[in-house]
Structures are given as structure tokens and as C-alpha cells.
């Protein structure tokens, strides 16, 4: 399978039978190497409601006739706007034709802007995808938490983890997260998008290597084969 990074927490995972787009954020994303309408997908996987994870979800879902997979509240929110959706809740998974998506815990908030007050859209989640004999975990936005150990028990071929600090765990906590998750490969995300989450991905990879973890920072637009 092929994984492409679009900056922030936005990735495209191309499996044998479907293209999965995680947390679409092209419009207004200073790191995005392409525009939202340049990307095609069959499924859109959304970790939580915040704008920097959902802003292009509806337009892409409509244009590609893609199914949006997220927590129940986010699924209903986008279904009401005409998207095809599949709602889950943490701990639950579903076997799609391409493989399985399971929602995992995350410690973060989940809301959408709606006039003066945000509306709340369930809880923030992580996304565990099993396809083509591999497990890929997208942590969403999260703090460090001990139950990451349970997610790691699945045996992770790749873990996409936030390192930006301020809104999510920063590099120090992300190193502990790697001890809990023990993925074959980790890819840092949710950093360098704005000044308050500026981090050095290469320095993080060096520190992780000293602790026995393989970390590969990707440039926006870069792809790797898992
Ligand atoms: Ni967030
Ligand atoms: Mn975020």
C-alpha cells in the first residue's frame, strides 16, 4: 500500500481495493502541496470535528461519491449535508470491502464552527485501518495516554502520530507514545503548520532512533510504500 502525506494530519492511503483519505485539510493548509480538487478517494476517514481535519471533507465526499467514516455525530453532521457516511463509536470497527476501520480512543475535543459558538461533534478518535494484511494507525489529535498500549497490541505496521505540542502531544510525549505503540514505522504529523506547533521532525526522528524506534518524517507531497 502507498501512503502520501499532504501536510498537517492529511494522508492518502492507497490499498489494493480502495483509496482512503485521512483528515482532509487542503483549503487554508499552508503545507498542502495540492488543492482539494486534485485528490480522488473512495473513503474519507475523519478523526474529529475540528476544521483542520474536516474542512474539505464535504466537497471531496460529494465530488468523489466517497463514504465518510467517523464518529456517529460527525457522520450525522455530514449526512445532513448530503454526504454518504458510516458512523462508528470508539472501540467499534466495521469490515468494509477493502478492510477494517476501527475507531480508537483519543484525548482531545471535537467541534465544528457554527456562528458564534462551536457545536460539539462527539468525541475525538483515532483511526485503525487493517487492509492488505497491514495495520495503519492514525492517532488523530491526542494527548499521550496509557491506553495507547492497547492500540499497539494490534501490531502496527505504521503509526501516524502528532508531535506539534500546544494542541496535541509534543515530541517528548510522542516518544513515550512510541514506547506504548511499538510500530514498525512512525510518521510524525500535526506540526509546522502554524508557528505554535513548529517542531523539528528530523530531530524527533534522531531521538526516536536512539530509543529504538524508526521514525520517517515525510515532506508534504511525499509518498512511501508500506
Ligand atoms: Ni483538533
Ligand atoms: Mn488539529
Amino acid at each position: 500500500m502507498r501512503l502520501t502525506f499532504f501536510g498537517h494530519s492529511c494522508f492518502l492511503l492507497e490499498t489494493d481495493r480502495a483509496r482512503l483519505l485521512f483528515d482532509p485539510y487542503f483549503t487554508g493548509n499552508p503545507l498542502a502541496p495540492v488543492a482539494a480538487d486534485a485528490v480522488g478517494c473512495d473513503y474519507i476517514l475523519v478523526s474529529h470535528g475540528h476544521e483542520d481535519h474536516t474542512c474539505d471533507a464535504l466537497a471531496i465526499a460529494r465530488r468523489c461519491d466517497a463514504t465518510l467514516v467517523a464518529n456517529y455525530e460527525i457522520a450525522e453532521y455530514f449526512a445532513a449535508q448530503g454526504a454518504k457516511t458510516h458512523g462508528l463509536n470508539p472501540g467499534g470497527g466495521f469490515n468494509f470491502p477493502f478492510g477494517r476501520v476501527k475507531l480508537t480512543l483519543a484525548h482531545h475535543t471535537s467541534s465544528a464552527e457554527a456562528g458564534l459558538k462551536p457545536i460539539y461533534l462527539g468525541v475525538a478518535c483515532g483511526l485503525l485501518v487493517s487492509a492488505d494484511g497491514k495495520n495503519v494507525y492514525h492517532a488523530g489529535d491526542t494527548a499521550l495516554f496509557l491506553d495507547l498500549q492497547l492500540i499497539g497490541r494490534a501490531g502496527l505496521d505504521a503509526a501516524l502520530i502528532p508531535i506539534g505540542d500546544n494542541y496535541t502531544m509534543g515530541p517528548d510525549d510522542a516518544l513515550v507514545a512510541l514506547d506504548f505503540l511499538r510500530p514498525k514505522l512512525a510518521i510524525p504529523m500535526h506540526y509546522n503548520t502554524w508557528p505554535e506547533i513548529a517542531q523539528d521532525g528530523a530531530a524527533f526522528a534522531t531521538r526516536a532512533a536512539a530509543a529504538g524506534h524508526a521514525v520517517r518524517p515525510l515532506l508534504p507531497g511525499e509518498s512511501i510504500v508500506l
Side-chain angles (χ1 to χ4, degrees):
M1 55 177 65
R2 186 180 181 83
L3 183 73
T4 302
F5 183 47
F6 292 120
H8 205 58
S9 299
C10 182
F11 292 84
L12 183 70
L13 183 67
E14 295 170 90
T15 72
D16 285 349
R17 291 201 275 174
R19 300 161 298 168
L20 319 181
L21 182 64
F22 290 93
D23 284 358
Y25 176 37
F26 298 93
T27 306
N29 177 357
L31 300 178
V34 294
D37 57 12
V39 177
C41 64
D42 306 295
Y43 292 85
I44 299 171
L45 277 48
V46 168
S47 65
H48 65 293
H50 292 155
E51 187 81 1
D52 56 316
H53 301 259
T54 59
C55 71
D56 294 303
L58 186 61
I60 296 173
R62 282 179 173 155
R63 176 173 53 80
C64 298
D65 196 31
T67 299
L68 188 149
V69 181
N71 78 34
Y72 175 79
E73 286 76 13
I74 292 172
E76 290 298 297
Y77 175 75
F78 284 111
Q81 298 173 76
K84 231 167 40 180
T85 65
H86 185 110
L88 297 165
N89 232 321
F94 184 78
N95 296 325
F96 293 92
F98 65 85
R100 183 171 176 82
V101 179
K102 183 179 180 182
L103 279 198
T104 65
L105 299 187
H107 283 272
H108 191 70
T109 57
S110 178
S111 59
E113 298 305 318
L116 293 176
K117 285 202 294 188
I119 55 165
Y120 275 82
L121 292 173
V123 295
C125 296
L127 299 150
L128 179 58
V129 173
S130 305
D132 306 348
K134 293 200 156 64
N135 293 321
V136 177
Y137 168 59
H138 185 294
D141 282 3
T142 188
L144 175 65
F145 60 106
L146 200 58
D147 287 358
L148 288 167
Q149 292 174 101
L150 296 174
I151 298 167
R153 285 179 70 155
L156 304 178
D157 295 282
L160 320 179
I161 59 165
I163 67 162
D165 212 347
N166 198 87
Y167 301 111
T168 67
M169 57 187 173
D172 293 350
D173 283 354
L175 281 177
V176 181
L178 290 179
D179 286 339
F180 293 159
L181 292 166
R182 305 223 150 265
K184 285 187 188 147
L185 179 69
I187 294 160
M189 64 177 183
H190 213 275
Y191 70 108
N192 287 351
T193 321
W194 314 296
E196 68 268 32
I197 59 171
Q199 298 294 344
D200 185 335
F204 177 70
T206 301
R207 291 177 67 196
H213 302 296
V215 170
R216 167 101 188 258
L218 296 179
L219 296 170
E222 191 175 358
S223 297
I224 53 166
V225 173
L226 296 174

